[in-house]
Amino acid sequence: MTTTLITGGNKGLGFESARQLAALGHTVYLGARDESRGRTAADELGVRFVQLDVTDQASVDAAIETITTEAGVLDVLINNAGILGRRSTPAEVEASDLEHVYATNVFGVVRLTHAALPLLEKSGNPIIVNVSSGLGALAEAADPTSFAAQFPALTYGSSKSALLMITIQYARALPAMRINAIDPGYTATDFNGHEGTQTVEEGAEAIVTFATIDQSGPTGTFQNKDGIVAW
Ligand code: NAP
């Protein structure tokens, strides 16, 4: 039995990934910050609900306590919850914009990962999937002809760059775990007003792939559904 926790599971890529992983037989804990939306989503999928706001230490601690009591182990942690923040040009960005977005996309990932590590260490095949973005890739951003270069993304892009470095650092320090960052690709969800060009099924592909690798799989990599993404 594989026990999996996914953040931001009530909609979008998190919901679809939870659906696919449950279909593969995982015992899924669907984390959502809003109790009502989270329970409704979990009930629809027939998975477990856990209240989880990654910006709130008490919420994170309670969620991990619940999984500890009920399952005693965590095999897969999917850090999926993320926000875009205010749309603005780099010149308009204020420090408070970064504080707001980093609270979820960066500090939230570290808060939850730190709390979850003791439970992951009880697994025979511990896995962390960090949902980053092509907008976080420095190689893309530095190329003026790239898709990413069309989007001003000082706040969001830099938060996802930080997540890439966080992934490398955890992967190097924790070689018994498979820890990878993925780019789901531009996917139609509420996140982008459904302007994304992929379906959620396509967007969830890399999340599910890296949530289901075994110990022979890669760690410390950044990948999309087609393979390695340049940092
Ligand atoms: P979405 O539909 O907007 O879903 C985001 C999820 O994150 C929601 O469940 C949201 O909960 C949750 N969330 C936000 N803040 C949270 C917090 N503090 N604690 C816990 N949950 C929180 O977006 P999505 O497209 O599925 O995005 C999922 C991930 O993929 C994000 O990390 C995003 O950056 C990344 N991504 C998306 C795309 C894309 O094209 N869609 C591309 C690259 C990367 P509420 O419903 O309560 O707001």
Side-chain angles (χ1 to χ4, degrees), residues 97-117:
D97 292 312
L98 268 71
E99 285 170 352
H100 175 61
V101 169
Y102 279 43
T104 297
N105 296 6
V106 182
F107 310 149
V109 171
V110 174
R111 177 176 290 106
L112 178 58
T113 302
H114 178 75
L117 282 177

Side-chain angles (χ1 to χ4, degrees), residues 124-157:
N125 182 30
I127 289 172
I128 301 175
V129 181
N130 289 330
V131 181
S132 183
S133 168
L135 296 183
L138 299 182
E140 274 275 300
D143 173 1
T145 66
S146 73
F147 177 71
Q150 299 168 40
F151 299 93
L154 191 161
T155 308
Y156 175 74

Side-chain angles (χ1 to χ4, degrees), residues 76 86 98 165 207 225:
V76 182
R86 187 168 72 95
L98 268 71
M165 178 58 81
I207 299 175
K225 63 180 165 53

Side-chain angles (χ1 to χ4, degrees), residues 22-189:
L24 290 171
H26 288 219
T27 299
V28 174
Y29 282 86
L30 184 153
R33 58 181 167 175
D34 182 88
E35 172 121 25
S36 166
R37 289 199 300 271
R39 274 198 195 283
T40 301
D43 289 350
E44 186 179 333
L45 296 179
V47 302
R48 300 178 188 202
F49 164 71
V50 66
Q51 196 280 334
L52 210 174
D53 181 338
V54 298
T55 67
D56 180 347
Q57 187 69 49
S59 166
V60 165
D61 290 344
I64 294 300
E65 182 62 35
T66 297
I67 299 170
T68 303
T69 305
E70 292 181 7
V73 64
L74 183 63
D75 299 293
V76 182
L77 169 63
I78 304 175
N79 287 307
N80 166 74
I83 59 172
L84 185 59
R86 187 168 72 95
R87 279 185 195 265
S88 48
T89 66
E92 291 165 341
V93 170
E94 297 176 28
S96 58
D97 292 312
L98 268 71
E99 285 170 352
H100 175 61
V101 169
Y102 279 43
T104 297
N105 296 6
V106 182
F107 310 149
V109 171
V110 174
R111 177 176 290 106
L112 178 58
T113 302
H114 178 75
L117 282 177
L119 261 191
L120 283 162
E121 280 163 356
K122 294 185 175 171
S123 170
N125 182 30
I127 289 172
I128 301 175
V129 181
N130 289 330
V131 181
S132 183
S133 168
L135 296 183
L138 299 182
E140 274 275 300
D143 173 1
T145 66
S146 73
F147 177 71
Q150 299 168 40
F151 299 93
L154 191 161
T155 308
Y156 175 74
S158 67
S159 78
K160 293 299 190 180
S161 303
L163 183 53
L164 296 178
M165 178 58 81
I166 285 165
T167 302
I168 292 172
Q169 295 294 331
Y170 277 133
R172 189 165 298 145
L174 301 163
M177 300 192 187
R178 306 293 91 188
I179 303 175
N180 293 285
I182 67 93
D183 171 21
Y186 193 36
T187 306
T189 66

